Amino acid sequence: RRMRIVDVTDTEGRVVEPAWLDRAESVHRQLRTTLPADYAGRLAQVFANGGRLAVAADGEAVAGVALWRLIENTYEGRRLYVDDLVTDAARRSRGVGKALLGHLEDKARGLGCDVLALDSGAQRAAAHKFYFREGMHIPGFCFRKELK
């Protein structure tokens, strides 16, 4: 079977593939374990604020999930920022992440972006090896202050 990438949302953030949104939840929760019980409701909020979703489909199963958005800033110009990139644990090291990242890079180029960027938890060493292998680098530190 050939894996394919499905854009779950359109360019305006409307869900155009609701069945794939439902199927994405279990894989997405492998990365974001604290997502609320109302997954679709939470993602509707994210989509309303610029988030977009794509999945890697293996037959009728979700093999990976990518949540992304466009950001304009003063130091990079237009960037495609990846909020979440996760491959189903049972399908890792089979090209799923590479396919999703390639899809996002193509999308970024098509949208006139200067940069493709993401943050990755300091503890995710295996993911970092993958990102380095895919030509990404670490340009700085991310500082954060919890407000609640």
Side-chain angles (χ1 to χ4, degrees), residues 46-99:
V46 171
F47 300 153
N49 286 289
R52 305 295 178 256
L53 188 72
V55 298
D58 181 7
E60 293 301 308
V62 170
V65 173
L67 180 64
W68 61 275
R69 67 188 64 242
L70 289 179
I71 297 174
E72 293 271 350
N73 60 35
T74 57
Y75 67 96
E76 289 175 318
R78 182 172 246 204
R79 75 175 1 197
L80 188 147
Y81 179 78
V82 183
D83 292 21
D84 299 334
L85 182 66
V86 59
T87 297
D88 179 42
R91 292 176 169 91
R92 295 213 174 112
S93 299
R94 296 184 191 169
V96 176
K98 184 176 183 67

Side-chain angles (χ1 to χ4, degrees), residues 124-138:
R124 299 188 69 226
H128 303 161
K129 283 183 183 179
F130 166 70
Y131 297 134
F132 287 135
R133 208 170 44 244
E134 294 303 311
M136 300 186 93
H137 67 280
I138 301 171

Side-chain angles (χ1 to χ4, degrees), residues 3-14:
M3 185 177 44
R4 68 190 195 287
I5 306 298
V6 177
D7 285 310
V8 175
T9 52
D10 66 10
T11 57
E12 302 302 313
R14 291 180 293 257

